[in-house]
Amino acid sequence: MMTVPSQVVHVDSPTEQRNPRTTDIDRLPTLGILGVINAEDRRVPEAVGEVLPQLATAVDYAVEALRNGHRVHYVGAGTSGRLAVLDAAELVPTYNVPEDWFVAHHAGGAQALQKAVENAEDDATAGADELSAAVEPGDFVLGLTASGRTPYVLGALLAASRKGAHTGLVSGNARALRPAGVDVLIAVDTGPEVIAGSTRMKAGTAQKQILTAFSTATMVKLGRTYSNLMVSMRATNAKLRGRTLRILHEATGASERECADALAEADGDLKVALMHLLCGVDANTATAMLAASGGHVREAVDACTACSA
């Protein structure tokens, strides 16, 4: 016997509507199905482009937080939470950031990463309690929700705001108003999904693009790159050790042997080796110059060039 749910919510969002362009998708051959999905996916970058000003505000909040010794928190449920966990995890090896710089909070905890946890996203109190315990004044908290209303996420953001953190919300519902406790609303309108309500599709793709752009721009602003090169990466395998040498060569024009020697002198620190090759300073001087610039390679190189002029 089927149990009638105790609570029903009807979400007013474009993602829940039927897509008039895909009503016959179940009549199409395989290639036709894929073509329809691809055509809808191509709408996502344009929709993300419309919210870049709001995303820039979120990046500036994150940069301010990290520069002042605070943290960035991601909060999500379901697909949104899984994407947040993925982005936070990938920043550690890519940019060699401290593991506590980006903290992901997923409704239902670790077990919800692989299997849905019933009603976890509807628990506003759980979100509020988790962020109240984790957030400090000066942190930045970025929530993600396709519907714009996920109670776990909104409860977390309100609690974080009350703790003195700046907050942002990535929402797939452009109709929803900015919730209480949210400083910047990033409402991206990707329209109806290929399969009505399946927000792991276009809404999820938009969230992935926004997260990647957000964290990458934050890393660039913090000097974790030099030009478009990953000079803060952690070389943890043979492929990445080869990439390290290639990055040094691309940035300086030095031979592989010279790059390898510079890395050895720098005790494997790519930034120090880069400063050595670009500025002709020894490892100790390079380390001091990087410390003075807060680890920002471009600023350290520019300062070195100015002193030599």
Side-chain angles (χ1 to χ4, degrees):
M1 182 177 177
M2 187 171 72
T3 302
V4 177
S6 59
Q7 181 183 16
V8 175
V9 173
H10 295 289
V11 178
D12 180 22
S13 172
T15 60
E16 298 297 317
Q17 295 177 341
R18 292 183 70 189
N19 191 327
R21 296 178 295 274
T22 64
T23 53
D24 290 330
I25 191 170
D26 57 342
R27 298 177 182 270
L28 298 175
T30 303
L31 186 57
I33 294 170
L34 295 174
V36 166
I37 294 171
N38 181 255
E40 291 297 312
D41 284 345
R42 281 186 268 128
R43 297 173 180 268
V44 174
E46 183 176 347
V48 171
E50 294 294 324
V51 299
L52 293 184
Q54 294 87 348
L55 184 55
T57 299
V59 170
D60 289 341
Y61 278 139
V63 171
E64 179 185 7
L66 294 171
R67 277 182 175 160
N68 288 293
H70 301 295
R71 299 188 294 175
V72 173
H73 301 260
Y74 291 152
V75 185
T79 296
S80 302
R82 295 182 185 100
L83 290 171
V85 170
L86 175 65
D87 194 74
E90 290 182 338
L91 293 174
V92 175
T94 305
Y95 294 104
N96 198 22
V97 301
E99 292 188 2
D100 64 346
W101 266 25
F102 286 76
V103 183
H105 305 270
H106 188 203
Q111 61 178 326
L113 292 175
Q114 295 184 328
K115 184 177 181 180
V117 175
E118 187 175 359
N119 294 324
E121 72 173 55
D122 292 328
D123 195 340
T125 300
D129 289 346
E130 185 168 346
L131 270 293
S132 291
V135 166
E136 296 180 355
D139 286 356
F140 177 62
V141 182
L142 184 65
L144 300 106
T145 165
S147 67
R149 61 155 300 277
T150 306
Y152 172 86
V153 175
L154 299 192
L157 291 174
L158 183 57
S161 178
R162 288 172 173 169
K163 286 291 294 284
H166 284 301
T167 60
L169 177 64
V170 178
S171 169
N173 186 357
R175 296 175 182 170
L177 299 176
R178 185 172 71 183
V182 172
D183 293 314
V184 56
L185 176 62
I186 307 166
V188 56
D189 186 4
T190 53
E193 296 287 3
V194 171
I195 305 300
S198 182
T199 53
R200 73 186 186 91
M201 300 188 77
K202 289 191 297 182
T205 300
Q207 289 181 347
K208 168 61 176 168
Q209 289 188 8
I210 287 170
L211 278 171
T212 302
F214 166 79
S215 56
T216 300
T218 300
M219 293 297 98
V220 172
K221 294 279 288 184
L222 289 171
R224 312 297 287 193
T225 68
Y226 175 74
S227 181
N228 59 355
L229 300 171
M230 296 187 294
V231 294
S232 298
M233 60 173 285
R234 182 185 300 172
T236 56
N237 57 44
K239 179 187 75 172
L240 295 182
R241 286 189 286 273
R243 182 182 293 168
T244 298
L245 291 173
R246 186 168 66 251
I247 286 171
L248 280 175
H249 170 71
E250 291 284 347
T252 68
S255 68
E256 183 168 334
R257 181 69 266 165
E258 290 172 318
C259 292
D261 289 343
L263 267 177
E265 182 179 337
D267 196 25
D269 189 315
L270 179 52
K271 284 186 175 183
V272 172
L274 183 60
M275 287 291 297
H276 166 68
L277 291 170
L278 287 175
C279 299
V281 296
D282 60 29
N284 289 335
T285 302
T287 300
M289 295 184 74
L290 285 166
S293 71
H296 200 298
V297 178
R298 178 70 76 178
E299 291 183 5
V301 171
D302 288 347
C304 181
T305 302
C307 289
S308 301

